[in-house]
Amino acid sequence: MNGDENQVSEDLWREAAGRVQADQDIDVLMEARGLMIAEMSDVTAIDRRRAVLAGDSMRLAVRGRRWVSGRLVSQAADYIVLSPGVDSLERILVPSHAISIMHDLPHALRVDRPEPLGRELSWNSLLRRLIGHELSIEINGESLAGYLHWVGRDHISIGAERDSLTCMWSSIDVVRFDYRASS
């Protein structure tokens, strides 16, 4: 073989090797895509929400598409707490069951860990710290304000003096309170 024939032969081998490599790359990419899709099927919204760090901005809608936004203060599996502004004394507790839309959540994979994490409090433990303090709750766009009288397993009672309203936790969309009361 002369030099030109060697070059053509070498070029053909390179082209063939490139095609084989491209086919293998496509196979690897398809397998990786399949694994990612399979893993995504186990990811919950709470898993993705847990990828948001304290101090990050969050924007979410509760039932009725009422938007709430602020910086994440803390979260547990059954609620999040937001601060509406840097200097705000108000905290907004949003039960997980009331959240209908979360804006721009990170794409995160599921993390196997026991619930609750370390210092996480359940919603009712957090609210028990507020007994006797003033707060407001939102249910279906209506606000109710008063002093927190009672925190049960599935309900809270708020009111003024002796009168109180018992509200089922599952119906509450938002709880607003002064963070100094919970400290």
Side-chain angles (χ1 to χ4, degrees):
M1 272 198 234
N2 65 28
D4 287 340
E5 290 175 345
N6 282 341
Q7 184 62 41
V8 168
S9 178
E10 193 173 308
D11 288 345
L12 288 173
W13 279 112
R14 277 191 205 144
E15 184 179 331
R19 287 185 182 179
V20 168
Q21 184 64 50
D23 288 345
Q24 289 174 345
D25 290 348
I26 289 171
D27 289 344
V28 168
L29 287 173
M30 294 305 290
E31 183 176 346
R33 182 178 186 276
L35 291 171
M36 180 62 88
I37 288 171
E39 179 67 22
M40 287 169 52
S41 69
D42 286 338
V43 176
T44 67
I46 290 173
D47 292 329
R48 291 184 60 198
R49 191 185 80 201
R50 285 199 176 277
V52 178
L53 303 175
D56 289 350
S57 292
M58 288 193 79
R59 184 169 180 251
L60 54 95
V62 296
R63 294 176 282 218
R65 213 163 161 205
R66 291 182 325 279
W67 289 91
V68 178
S69 60
R71 298 221 174 264
L72 180 66
V73 174
S74 63
Q75 63 176 310
D78 53 355
Y79 67 88
I80 63 170
V81 177
L82 300 175
S83 173
V86 176
D87 296 328
S88 177
L89 300 177
E90 181 184 45
R91 293 297 181 260
I92 305 167
L93 185 151
V94 183
S96 295
H97 66 257
I99 299 170
S100 57
I101 302 170
M102 289 181 276
H103 188 261
D104 283 341
L105 280 183
H107 295 284
L109 297 181
R110 183 175 52 84
V111 176
D112 292 322
R113 60 180 169 214
E115 298 290 344
L117 293 176
R119 297 180 2 219
E120 268 183 19
L121 297 173
S122 63
W123 68 267
N124 40 12
S125 294
L126 176 69
L127 287 180
R128 282 188 190 106
R129 294 177 170 189
L130 300 172
I131 289 176
H133 293 278
E134 192 169 7
L135 52 75
S136 68
I137 62 172
E138 295 176 19
I139 298 174
N140 293 328
E142 186 176 333
S143 287
L144 303 168
Y147 291 90
L148 184 61
H149 291 291
W150 186 268
V151 178
R153 184 177 192 178
D154 62 353
H155 64 282
I156 66 171
S157 295
I158 64 169
E161 298 178 16
R162 296 185 204 266
D163 293 334
S164 69
L165 299 171
T166 298
C167 308
M168 300 306 297
W169 180 249
S170 60
S171 68
I172 295 173
D173 296 331
V174 173
V175 178
R176 295 177 188 273
F177 61 94
D178 183 321
Y179 85 90
R180 294 173 297 182
S182 66
S183 299

